[in-house]
Amino acid sequence: MEYDYLVVGSGLFGSVFAYEASKRGKKVKVIEKRNHIAGNIYTENIEGINVHRYGAHIFHTNNKEIWEYVNRFAEFNHFINSPIANYKGEIYNLPFNMNTFNKLWGVVTPEEAKAKIEEQKAAAGIDKPRNLEEQAISLVGTDIYEKLIKGYTEKQWGRKATELPAFIIKRLPVRFTYDNNYFNDKYQGIPIGGYTQIVEKMLSSDLIDVELEKDFFEHKEEYLKEFPRIVYTGMIDQFFDYQFGTLEYRSLEFETIILDQENYQGNAVVNYTDAETPFTRIIEHKHFEFGTQPKTIITKEYPKKWKKGDEPYYPINDEKNNEMFKRYRQLADQLPNVIFGGRLGMYKYYDMHQVIGAALAVVKKEFE
Ligand code: FAD
Ligand code: UDP
């Protein structure tokens, strides 16, 4: 078969592209170095429970078109992410909201909570936040920073909070209402039956061939010669042989345990926010789909220093890495037949809805 496109990586970005290209009559070959499709949104059924193999994935978006788009490939339930923080046995609601402030300080009204935060912010003397620590204290005060942010963040990123960019913490809402919804977005849910079906459907066309356990770098030069167009969703620095240096990532180790009990922690996500517990969170998968199976499956998530060959889960978008990325991006712009996309190709801390949005933008540019 003569292909129009080679798509490197069967994650969400590559799969949306392959699906849209096949709808337009294009022939697509997808190669994937893992032994399964779907990238980091892969879920597998164990004991009747859909296990998120690469960490908790909750779909959320404000964009109606993206919500409708993803709903074509699965039915979503009404799951709302409301994680719990466990700090040395003390339990707090996340994201930071009136329930958190009440438990911590006994305050009851939003005004009392705001006054408390202002008082702590003033005592810390922060005017213009320059790093994650200062950003966090100016948003929620020192008590919450010390109990719920510092330990978790420093474990997660393996760096002092004073050496991390402020934007990381700005992902989290701070609310002066009694609302434990982790996200502000209008649409939210979990696909009933897991995420893998979404990618399976995207790649199901007769015009798409998928080859698993195939690493692009085994045959890079041939692929570049043979395929008229390539969509590349692997690491951009690897594509260019690390010539400007290695972009940094944070990696994770997942420990998954099947337990002979029905309910282990009573919530899908529990964060361990102290510095000493070696994992950042425990996920209990059945709660994403309100499961009633007799057993339960939990996953402990251990942050880990990344080195070449490890899974690159989180790009570290600090100044140094972003500058290096820009140089790679300039090289990429000189290759008109290769489209770089996705979390690794764009070196960006993208969520699923953003990846779909970015892929659809590329599709539009390519075909319209
Ligand atoms: P990926 O899913 O990484 O896909 C890239 C694919 O390319 C992979 O399958 C990889 O094996 C393959 N590949 C790479 N290099 C090569 C090569 N050389 N040859 C062949 N194949 C290759 N988003 C949310 O919206 N909500 C969440 O709750 C959420 N939680 C997350 C939790 C964790 C722990 C992580 C890590 C991410 C989370 N995300 C979440 C983000 C979400 O996973 C990503 O937005 C999305 O999966 C990115 O899709 P992608 O196609 O860009 O990348
Ligand atoms: N964070 C924290 N305490 C928590 C949860 C999150 O300090 O209990 C901080 C931490 O720095 C984390 C960031 O907020 O990296 C973003 O959290 P999010 O849950 O969005 O991270 P992700 O799901 O992407 O790992």
Side-chain angles (χ1 to χ4, degrees), residues 49-232:
I49 298 166
N50 294 307
V51 174
H52 297 205
R53 188 190 286 181
Y54 302 97
H57 277 76
I58 299 115
F59 199 96
H60 57 96
T61 180
N62 249 330
N63 185 315
K64 189 160 187 251
E65 278 151 49
I66 288 176
W67 180 241
E68 285 170 356
Y69 186 84
V70 76
N71 273 268
R72 285 191 226 159
F73 303 96
E75 186 187 342
F76 279 69
N77 68 16
H78 63 284
F79 179 84
I80 297 284
N81 193 27
S82 309
I84 297 285
N86 182 327
Y87 176 76
K88 303 186 178 180
E90 294 169 23
I91 298 294
Y92 295 94
N93 285 109
L94 295 172
F96 313 118
N97 73 78
M98 285 307 299
N99 289 307
T100 329
F101 308 142
N102 173 264
K103 176 94 189 250
L104 194 64
W105 301 315
V107 295
V108 171
T109 66
E111 252 153 62
E112 288 166 357
K114 281 182 189 164
K116 196 86 190 163
I117 291 171
E118 276 311 312
E119 181 192 309
Q120 299 197 346
K121 194 176 149 185
I126 295 159
D127 189 20
K128 231 174 136 215
R130 286 164 308 164
N131 54 51
L132 196 151
E133 174 172 297
E134 295 184 359
Q135 181 70 58
I137 293 172
S138 67
L139 285 172
V140 288
T142 33
D143 288 347
I144 291 188
Y145 172 68
E146 293 294 339
K147 283 193 169 178
L148 304 182
I149 298 176
K150 188 173 194 288
Y152 185 98
T153 296
E154 294 187 346
K155 283 193 289 194
Q156 169 77 346
W157 297 99
R159 293 192 188 178
K160 295 258 164 270
T162 45
E163 289 159 18
L164 283 163
F167 83 90
I168 292 177
I169 196 74
K170 281 205 203 144
R171 284 167 61 89
L172 303 191
V174 177
R175 276 198 211 106
F176 294 91
T177 54
Y178 288 90
D179 176 1
N180 296 326
N181 185 347
Y182 202 59
F183 301 112
N184 281 326
D185 288 347
K186 216 191 259 176
Y187 309 101
Q188 185 174 168
I190 298 283
I192 299 167
Y195 284 91
T196 306
Q197 61 177 322
I198 295 176
V199 172
E200 252 162 28
K201 287 178 201 162
M202 286 177 177
L203 299 178
S204 65
S205 163
D206 290 342
L207 295 174
I208 302 176
D209 287 333
V210 181
E211 198 178 346
L212 297 177
E213 297 183 90
K214 195 72 184 162
D215 191 323
F216 175 73
F217 294 100
E218 283 167 21
H219 303 284
K220 179 181 170 191
E221 295 314 319
E222 286 111 291
Y223 290 137
L224 287 172
K225 266 194 230 118
E226 281 167 26
F227 288 86
R229 307 274 291 155
I230 295 178
V231 174
Y232 175 83

Side-chain angles (χ1 to χ4, degrees), residues 8-9 11-13 31-34 39-41 54 56-58 214-217 233-234 252 313-314 342-343 350-352 355:
V8 181
L12 199 50
F13 190 98
I31 56 168
E32 168 55 59
K33 71 176 178 189
R34 292 178 179 165
N40 288 341
I41 68 172
Y54 302 97
H57 277 76
I58 299 115
K214 195 72 184 162
D215 191 323
F216 175 73
F217 294 100
T233 72
L252 296 169
Y313 289 114
Y314 294 98
R343 239 191 194 201
Y350 273 145
D351 276 334
M352 291 178 277
V355 167

